[in-house]
Each structure stands twice: as structure tokens, then as C-alpha cells.
């Protein structure tokens, strides 16, 4: 599976987690027939371990706007911040992939907001 496809799975799992908390990563990956994808597993474990820190970063950056984000927007932002801060994925790659996910899954111009928010956080 290509990295872009793996990242899309991570996004979907983070979205799923926002609706129904993922407590057993192995079981969840197995249910989706992706248990052998190490990047996905590592990403979700990292996301779970760093959730509070990522959320705090977003809340501080977005202030009141944070509560108005859709679950899709939050999932994309959580994915990208987790990659940049905790997984040593290059910033440009992570932001570009986040923008592409937003173009596919979010509302029409949400990709611009995603790009702007991530850029602002990186510049801090």
C-alpha cells in the first residue's frame, strides 16, 4: 500500500475515533484488514499517545474557532500535527497531504483553512 493510501486510512481511523473511541488498535486494524500496515499502526498509536498535546496545540492556535471545526477538519489536523510533531514526517509532506485530504473529504474551501492553520502552527 502506498504511503498516501496509508495516510488516508489513518485519517479515516482518526475520524472513526472521534465518533467511537478506538481502544484496541490491533483489533481495529484487523477488522479493516490492514493489520500488517506498520505506518498505520504506528500513526494511530502515536495519535492516541499524543492526543491531549495535539488538541492543546490546536485549541491554542484556533481559540474559539476550534469548537466550530467539523470532525473531518479535526481528523485532518490531528493527523498532520501528529506526523509533524511526533513522527518525524517532513512538514511540507504532511501539510501537502493534509491539503489533499481536505480537498477530497472536506467542504470546498476548507483545504485553505487547513493549510493556513498548519502553516501558522509550524511558524510558531
Amino acid at each position: 500500500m502506498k504511503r498516501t493510501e496509508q495516510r488516508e486510512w489513518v485519517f479515516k481511523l482518526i475520524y472513526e475515533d472521534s465518533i467511537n473511541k478506538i481502544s484496541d488498535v490491533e483489533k481495529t486494524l484487523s477488522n479493516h484488514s490492514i493489520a500488517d500496515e506498520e505506518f498505520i499502526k504506528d500513526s494511530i498509536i502515536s495519535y492516541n499517545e499524543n492526543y491531549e498535546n495535539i488538541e492543546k496545540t490546536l485549541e491554542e492556535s484556533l481559540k474559539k474557532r476550534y469548537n466550530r471545526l467539523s470532525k473531518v477538519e479535526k481528523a485532518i489536523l490531528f493527523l498532520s500535527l501528529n506526523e509533524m510533531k511526533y513522527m518525524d514526517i517532513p512538514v511540507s509532506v504532511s501539510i501537502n497531504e493534509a491539503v489533499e485530504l481536505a480537498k477530497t473529504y472536506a467542504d470546498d474551501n476548507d483545504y485553505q483553512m487547513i493549510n493556513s492553520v498548519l502553516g501558522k502552527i509550524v511558524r510558531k
Side-chain angles (χ1 to χ4, degrees), residues 7 39 42-43 45-47 49-61 76-95 117-124:
R7 193 171 274 111
F39 177 79
D42 292 345
S43 293
I45 290 170
S46 176
Y47 157 78
E49 290 173 351
N50 298 297
Y51 179 87
E52 289 83 15
N53 291 333
I54 298 168
E55 184 175 50
K56 182 180 177 187
T57 300
L58 284 172
E59 286 175 337
E60 289 172 354
S61 295
I76 293 169
L77 290 168
F78 272 83
L79 163 70
S80 187
L81 286 174
N82 182 59
E83 286 184 348
M84 290 186 291
K85 292 180 92 173
Y86 304 104
M87 296 186 65
D88 296 325
I89 302 292
V91 170
S92 60
V93 171
S94 188
I95 291 176
V117 169
L118 293 172
K120 178 182 172 186
I121 291 170
V122 167
R123 285 188 294 275
K124 275 188 176 180

Side-chain angles (χ1 to χ4, degrees), residues 35-48:
D36 60 336
E37 298 292 338
E38 286 300 315
F39 177 79
I40 297 172
K41 180 180 175 182
D42 292 345
S43 293
I44 294 301
I45 290 170
S46 176
Y47 157 78
N48 282 336

Side-chain angles (χ1 to χ4, degrees), residues 58 61-62 65-78 80 95 98-99 102-103 106-121 123:
L58 284 172
S61 295
L62 292 168
R65 188 173 179 196
Y66 177 78
N67 292 324
R68 294 193 312 257
L69 291 175
S70 71
K71 289 187 186 315
V72 169
E73 293 166 331
K74 283 183 183 178
I76 293 169
L77 290 168
F78 272 83
S80 187
I95 291 176
V99 167
K103 286 178 180 177
D107 290 336
D108 290 339
N109 294 318
D110 287 348
Y111 73 91
Q112 294 169 332
M113 181 274 300
I114 298 284
N115 189 39
S116 174
V117 169
L118 293 172
K120 178 182 172 186
I121 291 170
R123 285 188 294 275

